[in-house]
Amino acid sequence: MIERYDLHSHSTASDGALSPSELVVRAQQQGVTALALTDHDTIQGLDEAKQAAALNGIQLINGIEISTTWENHCLHIVGLNINPEHVSLKTGIAHLQAIRSERAQKIAFKLEKKRIPGAYEAVTLAAGKGMITRSHFADFLLQQNHVSTQQEAFDRYLGQGKPAYVSTTWASLNDTLNWITAAGGVAVLAHPMRYKLSANWMNRLLSAFKESGGQGIEVITGRSSPEEITLTSQYIKRYGLYGSVGSDFHSPANQWVELGRLKPLPEIIKPVWALF
Ligand code: AMP
Ligand code: MN
Ligand code: MN
Ligand code: MN
């Protein structure tokens, strides 16, 4: 059987629109044979996803996307094939969950100062037991007609330097990589082109990443251009890393990003799943 991997996706355990089981069913319908659930700073959806995957005949890879601060940049590191029960991983993400909760209160306070009350109650309700993310605030601003798109919510309120932006120190790169590797996982730099790093900074990052145990980079994401794939492949070769593929699917409402709708990994790139 030809495997079709999608190694980056979100559920209602963070800012995804589908429950873990709905996500797995959709992945199966889209032809994915191996799906990683990688919610922001939580492993909470994995049990349900695993059960749904067994029922639907697809493979579920335990994953997480860890918010990381490195040299004042916010980076996302995906951990794949982790043991979600590992103690240092669990303790580490518990700390990030506390940071998320405090940050949500601060964001809501800043919105209140802009005469937008009620955000904390709304996002708490919307997130339920899952992580509160800025996407929840964007949805709230949209529902209250303060903005007309999610993007506008980030551009006017939630993005860096905007009135409701709260600067946050997430996990250090070293800690993130240690938690993932201690839990038996493979650490992957998510969506490398999203950080807008110069070549110089990218080289500094990848040196530090490799030195602390990082093993992969997402070469193929939901919307990678051929130029981005070529560039990322060059970094992979230079640093002796493995390539990952992941849509970063959040919601069926975003018609541009679908589960499993991914270009193939260039043949010269060693796939991260060789490490599982
Ligand atoms: P957080 O980790 O709470 O800061 O939330 C980040 C999440 O917000 C990302 O994972 C995306 O899902 C979403 N996001 C970030 N920037 C944007 C943007 N410009 N437009 C839409 N969604 C965004
Ligand atoms: Mn997200
Ligand atoms: Mn991300
Ligand atoms: Mn993601």
Side-chain angles (χ1 to χ4, degrees):
M1 189 180 73
I2 295 173
E3 297 282 0
R4 274 184 61 193
Y5 289 87
D6 188 335
L7 301 178
H8 188 156
S9 68
H10 295 272
S11 76
T12 47
S14 64
D15 55 355
L18 305 181
S19 68
S21 39
E22 289 166 340
L23 180 80
V24 165
V25 167
R26 189 178 182 95
Q28 195 271 339
Q29 287 167 349
Q30 297 294 330
V32 173
T33 63
L35 175 75
L37 175 59
T38 55
D39 276 308
H40 297 289
D41 306 317
T42 183
I43 50 148
Q44 191 198 294
L46 295 177
D47 277 348
E48 183 187 321
K50 192 130 248 173
Q51 286 178 30
L55 287 173
N56 288 278
I58 79 172
Q59 188 190 348
L60 192 280
I61 291 143
N62 287 326
I64 188 165
E65 181 172 18
I66 300 184
S67 309
T68 303
T69 299
W70 175 80
E71 304 267 340
N72 279 324
H73 296 280
C74 174
L75 306 174
H76 285 177
I77 308 292
V78 161
L80 297 174
N81 206 31
I82 50 165
N83 167 11
E85 296 305 322
H86 193 277
V87 174
S88 55
L89 176 69
K90 272 191 141 169
T91 315
I93 62 176
H95 180 59
L96 291 178
Q97 291 166 5
I99 291 177
R100 272 197 179 277
S101 173
E102 283 166 30
R103 181 184 71 148
Q105 294 178 44
K106 291 180 187 160
I107 294 174
F109 188 65
K110 289 195 163 196
L111 286 172
E112 231 167 87
K113 287 205 275 190
K114 290 274 148 193
R115 297 172 210 264
I116 303 177
Y120 188 70
E121 294 69 23
V123 296
T124 306
L125 192 67
K129 289 191 197 139
M131 296 295 97
I132 301 174
T133 71
R134 282 185 293 164
S135 306
H136 293 97
F137 283 97
D139 289 342
F140 165 76
L141 291 167
L142 193 56
Q143 280 154 18
Q144 300 283 310
N145 293 316
H146 294 289
V147 293
S148 46
T149 61
Q150 265 233 358
Q151 184 60 48
E152 193 190 337
F154 281 90
D155 294 344
R156 283 184 48 203
Y157 294 100
L158 303 168
Q160 192 164 3
K162 303 300 170 189
Y165 181 75
V166 173
S167 168
T168 307
T169 304
W170 302 103
S172 71
L173 183 62
N174 236 311
D175 282 350
T176 294
L177 295 173
N178 284 341
W179 299 337
I180 293 171
T181 29
V186 175
V188 172
L189 178 65
H191 40 64
M193 296 297 138
R194 194 131 15 119
Y195 312 116
K196 308 269 183 272
L197 297 177
S198 65
N200 192 18
W201 275 101
M202 189 62 104
N203 281 309
R204 285 183 62 182
L205 168 59
L206 292 175
S207 304
F209 178 75
K210 170 95 180 181
E211 197 173 287
S212 302
Q215 291 182 288
I217 311 180
E218 277 180 1
V219 178
I220 311 291
T221 71
R223 302 182 71 176
S224 306
S225 70
E227 294 74 25
E228 289 171 341
I229 295 171
T230 305
L231 185 59
T232 312
S233 299
Q234 286 166 356
Y235 283 117
I236 293 247
K237 277 190 279 177
R238 186 175 308 157
Y239 290 92
L241 296 166
Y242 290 73
S244 188
V245 301
S247 63
D248 204 4
F249 177 88
H250 281 75
S251 162
N254 179 353
Q255 64 197 74
W256 306 108
V257 176
E258 182 52 87
L259 286 159
R261 195 190 292 160
L262 291 159
K263 295 182 177 136
L265 201 57
E267 275 182 19
I268 47 160
I269 303 296
K270 285 180 286 182
V272 282
W273 49 88
L275 299 166
F276 295 168

